[in-house]
Amino acid sequence: MTPRHLLGATLIMLAVLVPPAVAEGQGRGRGGPPPGSEPRLSPRQIAPADLTGYWVSVVTEEWRYRMLTPAKGDYQGLQLSAEARKIADSWDPAADEAAGHQCKSYGAPAIMRLPGRIHIVWQDDTTLRLVADAGTQTRLFRFGLPQPAGPRTWQGASAAQWETLGGGRGAAPSPAPGASLRVVTLNMRGGYLRKNGVPYSEDAVLTEYFTVAPLPSNGQALIVTTVLQDPRFFPQPYVVSSVFKKQPDASGWDPTPCSTTW
């Protein structure tokens, strides 16, 4: 199955939560523990897929937008509002540099499209941490917790939940084809979707699906489907899929600072 077919499968996933480890009705018979007394397993314990490890981006499309800094005004393939085009047409990397906004194109809606490597680990039983070596950016995906209030940041505040394709209540918390991590991110600073100043606003809502898929010779791919909703700058949701390949170790890991251009 090609990455494009996998993207299609990811986009039609229904929001079916991975169930609690104890099936409904368990322990209600004679001698069993009272309902509600069973311990709930953590998001880490019920994880239907393993996202942890080092992953390297596989750039097979939009090469000139992802590997190079596009020319000012080059926003081919994007449906932008008139306001967004005006902002993109006035992009000034020197001004961004002077204002200390070098990380404007490294925010959550753009970071997964940048070439480089990511490292995913469990920070604790309810939080996944993703670090990108491009711009040395850190994202936290929190399960079952309210998104924290506070100042807007480039990576925003992300709420996560596990989803499975055709799971349903009582399904076992084991590796499952079609299992995905759904992440919704709010409270972001306005930034650039592309290096050349194509903007997204601070009101944008970012929804992502992280799906692990097999590759030949026991390899693994991580497919990240991104849906950016920003009516101010994008009349229609911006949807794109990015592919990463799992690495056996940290080879090639190279944290670098943010830069206004490549």
Side-chain angles (χ1 to χ4, degrees), residues 108-163:
I111 191 67
M112 306 308 294
R113 298 292 286 169
L114 297 181
R117 289 165 173 78
I118 59 174
H119 184 210
I120 302 176
V121 298
W122 283 98
Q123 176 167 288
D124 54 47
D125 283 348
T126 60
T127 308
L128 274 167
R129 182 173 77 242
L130 182 155
V131 179
D133 64 357
T136 319
Q137 298 295 303
T138 299
R139 305 181 65 188
L140 298 178
F141 303 151
R142 296 180 171 91
F143 291 79
L145 297 173
Q147 292 168 319
R152 296 180 181 274
T153 64
W154 297 124
Q155 304 307 326
S158 299
Q161 67 181 43
W162 292 115
E163 296 186 349

Side-chain angles (χ1 to χ4, degrees), residues 51-152:
L51 275 62
T52 62
Y54 288 90
W55 305 82
V56 61
S57 58
V58 179
V59 182
T60 59
E61 33 69 50
E62 291 195 346
W63 198 92
R64 68 190 180 104
Y65 296 114
R66 299 176 63 185
M67 300 297 294
L68 304 171
T69 301
K72 180 189 292 189
D74 184 358
Y75 34 78
Q76 182 177 337
L78 297 177
Q79 297 185 33
L80 302 178
S81 67
E83 182 184 3
R85 290 195 297 272
K86 183 177 180 181
I87 292 173
D89 289 340
S90 62
W91 171 61
D92 184 349
D96 286 338
E97 188 86 24
H101 291 165
Q102 297 93 329
C103 291
K104 218 170 182 181
S105 61
Y106 293 78
I111 191 67
M112 306 308 294
R113 298 292 286 169
L114 297 181
R117 289 165 173 78
I118 59 174
H119 184 210
I120 302 176
V121 298
W122 283 98
Q123 176 167 288
D124 54 47
D125 283 348
T126 60
T127 308
L128 274 167
R129 182 173 77 242
L130 182 155
V131 179
D133 64 357
T136 319
Q137 298 295 303
T138 299
R139 305 181 65 188
L140 298 178
F141 303 151
R142 296 180 171 91
F143 291 79
L145 297 173
Q147 292 168 319
R152 296 180 181 274

Side-chain angles (χ1 to χ4, degrees), residues 168-186:
R169 296 188 64 82
S174 58
S180 179
L181 176 70
R182 181 176 184 263
V183 178
V184 178
T185 302
L186 306 172

